[in-house]
Amino acid sequence: MTQVAVVGAGFSGLAAAVELVDAGYEVTVFEARSRVGGRVWSEPIDGPNGTGPIIERGAEFVIEGYDHMRRWLDRFGLELADTGMSYYERDAHGVSDVSRDDMRAGAALLANTPHESSESVGAVLARLDVRPDVAAAIGARIQVSCAYGIDDLNVCVIDHTASFAPLPSFRVATGNQSLATAMAAFLGERIRLGTPVTEISWGDDGARVRTATGELEFDAVVVTIPLPHLREFSFNPPLPPERTQALHRMTMGNAAKAHIPLTSPAPISAVLAVPDLFWCWTLTGLDGSVVPVLNTFAGSPESVGRLDTEHGATTWAQRLAEIRTDLDLDLNSAVVTTWHDDPWARGAYTADTVRQQPGDVDLFSAPLSCLYFAGEHTAGEWSGLMEGALRTGSRAAAEVMAKITLA
């Protein structure tokens, strides 16, 4: 029987595993955490009246083009809830007289500004013929979305982060992690939680996967562990130098989230705190009412460091109280989630920087003997997104099936 190992039970690993099982392969999934979902993590928040609504401590929005995710949700009978707001549109705070229309027009101008392929967003933005406050708002939006500084981000990110159109946004009604949980239920005992893989020995005749409890042999291995771990992971023999070099040119962005319960009804809102490099929003749930939580996302190492998240929610909560005077915030119940210090992530998601060279993602993620690579960092234009993770899992499963026939 053809045996395939999948390393990681995030969206990419689970998608690969389910599709391989569907096709008749014997699959074992190794997951270091005690839960599935990886950087998709849904939990209820405790508010003043006890257990509150579900918050997304990781990936959140289901947006335009999420066709693969929608198919997975349909398969497992999961429903989307319209958030009532748009991920793409935000009111600028901390700059003078910058409207959503100003940001939309400036972003369109930015997308059409001539530039060299190796330039940074910051360099192109500096040449933009708009008011400084408008440029600052657009730069903050891109920096927050990409979780990295605009002076290091490659200008290519403009194509998929600078949309300011009022497009709808959704979340899975029961939490985005519900999809991972449904996939895991389908896979059953094939998943081994709390089982980090420490080494993969590989060759043309298959692979040996080592964990703390021993080694197992497989015909193929799908590797979905996040970018920072890949740089240090023990492959035996090591990956070829050109792949390692491409891997080291790829960059992990840094982000954090804060959720604060609301003690009185609130309207829909989306506010970008331009100088602070974070944004906050309220949204509707499945029943159409506004969920009593203020959600906040800080993107880039600069922003996360400035908010002093290492010492909890205090600094961030106080800043939110100053900005969102229109809301009644339960500051004592604030929940902060950081990813750079999470031992199995060590960052939020990949960022396309000026250090990365064209073709690096394809070079790294191509099949190598019995090794197959998936994860949001291999998703190209879909990198950093739940959709990208799912797409790469399906792609890796197809690569395995194309090379290794059932036996």
Side-chain angles (χ1 to χ4, degrees):
M1 185 68 72
T2 303
Q3 302 277 344
V4 181
V6 176
V7 184
F11 269 21
S12 56
L14 292 170
V18 171
E19 296 206 5
L20 288 166
V21 170
D22 283 345
Y25 290 78
E26 288 292 318
V27 176
T28 303
V29 181
F30 298 93
E31 170 55 47
R33 301 177 189 273
S34 60
R35 61 171 179 84
V36 297
R39 284 164 281 165
V40 179
W41 182 19
S42 310
E43 277 196 339
I45 187 171
D46 287 334
N49 299 315
T51 300
I54 291 172
I55 58 173
E56 300 295 347
R57 304 189 68 169
E60 181 144 356
F61 291 100
V62 178
I63 52 178
E64 186 182 34
Y66 272 43
D67 300 329
H68 281 63
M69 186 166 179
R70 287 175 181 270
R71 283 198 289 272
W72 281 109
L73 294 172
D74 288 344
R75 169 170 175 165
F76 291 105
L78 296 171
E79 190 173 358
L80 287 173
D82 191 331
T83 63
M85 45 78 73
S86 176
Y87 166 83
Y88 303 91
E89 283 199 312
R90 302 163 198 181
D91 297 318
H93 181 278
V95 287
S96 300
D97 255 353
V98 177
S99 68
R100 292 186 177 189
D101 286 341
D102 290 333
M103 294 175 68
R104 188 179 302 113
L109 188 60
L110 177 65
N112 291 304
T113 298
H115 57 265
E116 300 294 328
S117 61
S118 60
E119 280 192 283
S120 71
V121 172
V124 180
L125 194 57
R127 302 199 299 270
L128 202 62
D129 186 19
V130 296
R131 292 186 289 115
D133 278 353
V134 174
I138 295 169
R141 159 64 199 282
I142 295 173
Q143 178 160 328
V144 170
S145 295
C146 294
Y148 219 75
I150 57 172
D151 292 328
D152 291 308
L153 285 170
N154 188 284
V155 71
C156 70
V157 305
I158 292 173
D159 293 334
H160 56 273
T161 61
S163 174
F164 289 73
L167 300 170
S169 305
F170 303 87
R171 299 197 301 182
V172 179
T174 50
N176 294 337
Q177 194 182 349
S178 297
L179 176 56
T181 303
M183 289 172 154
F186 171 83
L187 293 168
E189 294 182 357
R190 298 178 182 90
I191 298 181
R192 302 188 180 189
L193 296 177
T195 309
V197 172
T198 57
E199 184 180 73
I200 299 173
S201 299
W202 59 278
D204 291 337
D205 57 348
R208 294 193 310 278
V209 173
R210 177 180 297 174
T211 69
T213 58
E215 289 186 348
L216 292 172
E217 294 188 356
F218 296 91
D219 299 292
V221 182
V222 178
V223 181
T224 75
I225 56 179
L227 190 63
H229 283 281
L230 278 171
R231 296 197 185 102
E232 303 169 1
F233 190 79
S234 179
F235 290 99
N236 183 22
L239 300 181
E242 64 273 14
R243 291 196 186 231
T244 302
Q245 291 162 9
L247 177 63
H248 281 266
R249 286 191 293 267
M250 297 160 69
T251 302
M252 192 72 152
N254 192 5
K257 298 187 81 171
H259 296 87
I260 302 179
L262 303 176
T263 58
S264 64
I268 291 293
S269 63
V271 176
L272 174 66
V274 175
D276 299 282
L277 298 172
F278 66 74
W279 75 294
C280 55
W281 64 97
T282 52
L283 45 72
T284 56
L286 189 60
D287 64 358
S289 65
V290 176
V291 179
V293 176
L294 178 64
N295 312 276
T296 312
F297 180 95
S300 76
E302 177 187 355
S303 177
V304 174
R306 188 185 301 168
L307 292 168
D308 194 27
T309 56
E310 290 185 10
H311 296 95
T314 302
T315 299
W316 203 344
Q318 289 175 346
R319 189 71 186 106
L320 285 165
E322 294 167 359
I323 293 172
R324 297 306 305 267
T325 56
D326 57 318
L327 300 177
D328 294 322
L329 303 171
D330 178 14
L331 299 178
N332 293 327
S333 298
V335 174
V336 169
T337 307
T338 53
W339 290 100
H340 64 280
D341 52 3
D342 179 284
W344 303 115
R346 292 162 57 187
Y349 43 78
T350 44
D352 292 325
T353 70
V354 293
R355 292 181 291 280
Q356 189 169 315
Q357 296 180 8
D360 276 349
V361 172
D362 291 338
L363 172 60
F364 172 76
S365 59
L368 176 63
S369 186
C370 65
L371 299 180
Y372 302 82
F373 298 92
E376 59 82 15
H377 53 283
T378 70
E381 65 176 316
W382 291 99
S383 64
L385 303 173
M386 292 183 287
E387 176 75 4
L390 292 167
R391 288 186 181 214
T392 65
S394 297
R395 184 254 304 151
E399 290 169 344
V400 171
M401 290 184 273
K403 185 175 180 181
I404 302 177
T405 57
L406 287 171

